[in-house]
Amino acid sequence: IRHGALPEELHGAYMRNGYNSALRPLYDYHHFEADGMIHCVRLGGDKVRYGNRFVRTKRFELETKVGRPMMVRISDLTGIRGLMTLALRQVQCMMGIIPGSGMITKGYGTGNTSIILQGDKLYALQEGDAPFEIRGLCSGAVETIRVAEELVEGMPGASSHPKYDQKNGYLYSFGYQVPQKPYVTIGRYREDGSLERTVPLMTVQNPTLMHDFAMTENYIVIMETALQFDFKNMVVNNDNAITLNKNAPTRFGILGKNDTDESKLTWVELPESCWISHVANAAEVDGCIQVDAIHYSDLDFNAPNGEEFISERNLCRWMINLETGVAERATLSLDGLRPEFPVINPLYACDADYKWSWMLLVDDLANPPKFSSVAKMDMNTAARDRQRGIVASIKFGHETYGNELIFVPRFQEPERCISEDDGYLMGFINDEANGDHTSYFVVYDALTMDQTPVCKYRLPQRVPYGLHGIFINESQFQQQLGITSPPA
C-alpha cells in the first residue's frame, strides 16, 4: 500500500477487462482486436490481492496453439490487403482450418471489452460474439468456464454494454453483424440470465459499428451512426473497412421495451453524421427522450494505435421529441477537453432527476494523448451553461494516466448514502514518469473529489490500459463461486 486504507464497506472484488495481445501481430496492430485479459483486485479487510488471466476464447486457444494470429483483425481490413485477407480467410474456412466465415464466429472473438454480473454468473463481453462465462477466485485469479452460446441464440452476438432494468428485472442487449440483414437484433434476458426473446431489426439500413445503446423506463434507443463497415471504400480508397461516412445519416431507433417485433419502431434522423460511443444515461423528460452520450464528429481507424481518440468529441445531450420526431443536440462539455468513459451512480440509471456524471479527460501533451484526469460534471448546470458544468477534477499525477474509473455507492443500502454522488471512483492508473510504468489500484472519493486517493495500492506488475470494469460485493462474489452463504 502506498497511501490510505481500504474503506470497510468495499468488501468484494473489482474486475476490469481490456486488451493484451498474447501473440505478436503479423501486420499493423489495433488495440481493439487484442486478446481479452481480466484484471481482478480482491478486496477485503486490510488485504488486497491482485491477479490476471487471459479470457480463454476459442480464438485464443487456436492461435496460441498454432503460434500466430489466424482470425481477421481490424487492422487487416485496409485496402487491397484487406480484400486479399478476406479471400484467404474464406479459403481457410472452406478447408476447415478456421471456423465459420473467418470474421467473428461465436466463441472466436476476443472477449476483451467489459464484464457483467447476470444472475449469479459473471461474463466477459465483446460485441459481435457470445459472452464468455468467467469466475473470480479468492486469490484474485480469474478462470474462463465456457462460451455461453445459448445467450445469443438467434442473435449475431451480444453487446459490450447491456442494460439492467432495476424496475422489471430484465436485462436488455443487442447484437450486430456485417454481411447481411438483420444488421441488428435486440435481446431480452430474464433475471436468471436466460434469453427470453429476440427482436430482429430489418429497418436498420447499414452495417454499423454500434458500441452502445440507451435505455429509459419504457424504451430502448439504438443508434445507427455514420461509423460503418464499408468494404467498397476499403478497396477504392485504400482505407480501413470501418469508416465514418459523413454522407450517411445518423438515426435513433426507439423501440418499446415490451415490443415483440419492430412494427412500432420509430426512427428519428439527426441533423448531422457522427458516431456516438458511450452513453452516460437516458431518461424520459416532458414528452421527450433525453440521451446523454459521447459524440464524435470524426474518427479514423487508420490512425496510429490509440490516436483515433485524438478526434474532437464532447459529452452531449440529445432531446428526442416523441410527438414531432425531432432530435436536438446540446453540448455539455467544453471544446478541447475530449471526455470519454462517462459513468454515473448506477442506482440513478433511467432517472430523469439524476445530476452527476464522472468522465476522463485527455492530456494533449502525452504522445499519443492519454487520459490524465477524471472530472465531475453537474449535468443540470452543464445543460444551462457548459462553462460551469465541471465542478471538480482529479489529476492522476505527473505523467500518470488511466482508463475508466467506475462509480461504486458508498454503501450497499441506498438509504445510507447521503446523496447521489456519495460513493467512490475506482480503477487502475499507470505512472509513466521516467519510463517506470508502475501500476496502481486507486480509490477516490467521488463526493469530495479530493486530489488525494482514499487508498492507493502499488501492483506487482504493469496493468495495460484497458476498457470497462465492474465491482461486485462480497455476497455477489461468493454467489458467483457457487457459495450461497458467505463464510462467517
Side-chain angles (χ1 to χ4, degrees):
I1 188 168
R2 287 305 173 100
H3 176 80
L6 184 72
E8 291 183 5
E9 55 267 23
L10 290 181
H11 194 190
Y14 168 72
M15 306 174 78
R16 197 214 68 190
N17 206 342
Y19 29 76
N20 193 14
S21 284
L23 300 171
R24 182 179 296 275
L26 295 178
Y27 305 109
D28 298 331
Y29 167 76
H30 195 289
H31 49 236
F32 285 176
E33 66 203 7
D35 300 291
M37 176 174 276
I38 308 292
H39 301 266
C40 177
V41 180
R42 184 77 170 96
L43 309 171
D46 58 351
K47 294 181 179 179
V48 171
R49 295 183 289 274
Y50 165 79
N52 64 61
R53 292 291 187 276
F54 281 108
V55 181
R56 302 190 72 88
T57 67
K58 293 180 181 179
R59 172 194 293 218
F60 176 86
E61 299 289 0
L62 171 66
E63 294 186 337
T64 53
K65 180 179 179 180
V66 174
R68 62 185 178 87
M70 295 288 289
M71 307 299 289
V72 173
R73 261 83 171 160
I74 293 173
S75 55
D76 293 336
L77 301 178
T78 303
I80 297 298
R81 192 187 81 201
L83 185 64
M84 295 175 63
T85 298
L86 290 174
L88 175 61
R89 291 301 187 266
Q90 289 298 325
V91 172
Q92 290 175 318
C93 291
M94 292 171 60
M95 297 177 65
I97 298 173
I98 58 177
S101 65
M103 295 291 287
I104 293 182
T105 303
K106 291 173 183 175
Y108 284 87
T110 59
N112 71 2
T113 309
S114 62
I115 306 167
I116 187 171
L117 178 69
Q118 175 66 350
D120 58 358
K121 293 182 172 59
L122 284 166
Y123 298 97
L125 304 175
Q126 178 228 345
E127 57 208 63
D129 198 7
F132 296 87
E133 185 183 342
I134 59 174
R135 180 162 56 211
L137 304 179
C138 294
S139 64
V142 180
E143 59 182 2
T144 303
I145 306 299
R146 65 188 184 96
V147 182
E149 294 191 42
E150 75 280 0
L151 297 183
V152 288
E153 187 69 34
M155 296 177 64
S159 167
S160 298
H161 293 286
K163 313 292 184 190
Y164 178 69
D165 191 323
Q166 301 175 68
K167 186 175 180 180
N168 64 26
Y170 288 112
L171 184 81
Y172 295 86
S173 185
F174 70 89
Y176 69 79
Q177 63 182 357
V178 177
Q180 61 190 16
K181 287 189 174 185
Y183 294 128
V184 177
T185 300
I186 302 292
R188 185 163 97 165
Y189 298 83
R190 304 178 183 90
E191 284 191 87
D192 63 5
S194 60
L195 179 62
E196 182 191 67
R197 67 165 179 254
T198 60
V199 181
L201 304 183
M202 299 299 295
T203 51
V204 175
Q205 296 175 347
N206 299 292
T208 302
L209 198 161
M210 194 179 297
H211 183 63
D212 203 351
F213 71 113
M215 184 180 76
T216 69
E217 182 179 356
N218 296 296
Y219 298 100
I220 296 294
V221 183
I222 67 165
M223 300 173 290
E224 183 182 1
T225 72
L227 189 64
Q228 300 174 354
F229 294 86
D230 189 339
F231 294 100
K232 180 179 179 180
N233 175 71
M234 175 186 77
V235 176
V236 172
N237 296 317
N238 195 36
D239 201 353
N240 193 274
I242 303 174
T243 184
L244 190 72
N245 181 358
K246 294 188 176 181
N247 295 318
T250 294
R251 308 190 299 164
F252 286 138
I254 303 165
L255 184 72
K257 283 182 176 178
N258 294 318
D259 290 350
T260 56
D261 59 46
E262 64 174 331
S263 60
K264 296 181 182 179
L265 176 66
T266 300
W267 286 104
V268 175
E269 187 167 327
L270 305 188
E272 61 173 326
S273 296
C274 64
W275 184 51
I276 301 169
S277 61
H278 294 112
V279 174
N281 204 1
E284 296 165 36
V285 182
D286 298 329
C288 294
I289 291 179
Q290 171 184 294
V291 177
D292 298 339
I294 300 295
H295 166 277
Y296 280 75
S297 57
D298 200 4
L299 191 69
D300 183 7
F301 266 80
N302 257 346
N305 187 39
E307 293 188 14
E308 69 269 16
F309 288 107
I310 296 176
S311 305
E312 186 57 44
R313 63 177 177 267
N314 278 291
L315 179 61
C316 294
R317 170 168 290 177
W318 286 266
M319 297 299 292
I320 309 166
N321 190 305
L322 295 175
E323 183 176 342
T324 64
V326 174
E328 297 181 352
R329 176 174 67 89
T331 302
L332 304 185
S333 59
L334 294 176
D335 294 338
L337 295 180
R338 300 202 295 276
E340 251 296 2
F341 298 103
V343 299
I344 64 167
N345 183 334
L347 298 176
Y348 286 77
C350 306
D351 190 334
D353 295 324
Y354 99 104
K355 180 178 181 179
W356 299 108
S357 180
W358 295 261
M359 62 215 67
L360 298 186
L361 303 182
V362 162
D363 180 0
D364 287 318
L365 299 179
N367 185 24
K370 301 185 182 79
F371 298 111
S372 60
S373 60
V374 58
K376 180 180 182 179
M377 179 179 285
D378 181 331
M379 304 295 283
N380 299 329
T381 299
R384 296 190 299 268
D385 180 4
R386 64 178 179 144
Q387 297 286 338
R388 298 170 52 235
I390 292 179
V391 300
S393 63
I394 298 171
K395 187 170 176 59
F396 298 142
H398 175 64
E399 293 186 20
T400 301
Y401 311 103
N403 276 123
E404 177 193 69
L405 300 182
I406 66 170
F407 179 94
V408 180
R410 192 176 304 273
F411 301 105
Q412 293 182 37
E413 305 83 3
E415 64 276 7
R416 295 183 62 191
C417 296
I418 63 173
S419 59
E420 175 187 343
D421 54 346
D422 187 14
Y424 302 105
L425 300 172
M426 66 172 63
F428 299 120
I429 60 174
N430 288 337
D431 184 350
E432 297 187 7
N434 304 314
D436 186 24
H437 291 279
T438 303
S439 294
Y440 297 90
F441 171 70
V442 291
V443 176
Y444 293 104
D445 191 316
L447 177 63
T448 66
M449 294 295 284
D450 193 318
Q451 297 289 320
T452 302
V454 176
C455 59
K456 180 178 180 181
Y457 291 86
R458 179 171 179 167
L459 300 176
Q461 65 185 68
R462 177 181 177 271
V463 176
Y465 295 109
L467 294 169
H468 304 289
I470 185 175
F471 172 79
I472 57 175
N473 61 42
E474 184 62 22
S475 175
Q476 293 168 327
F477 186 87
Q478 296 295 332
Q479 287 174 11
Q480 61 90 40
L481 278 176
I483 302 172
T484 55
S485 299

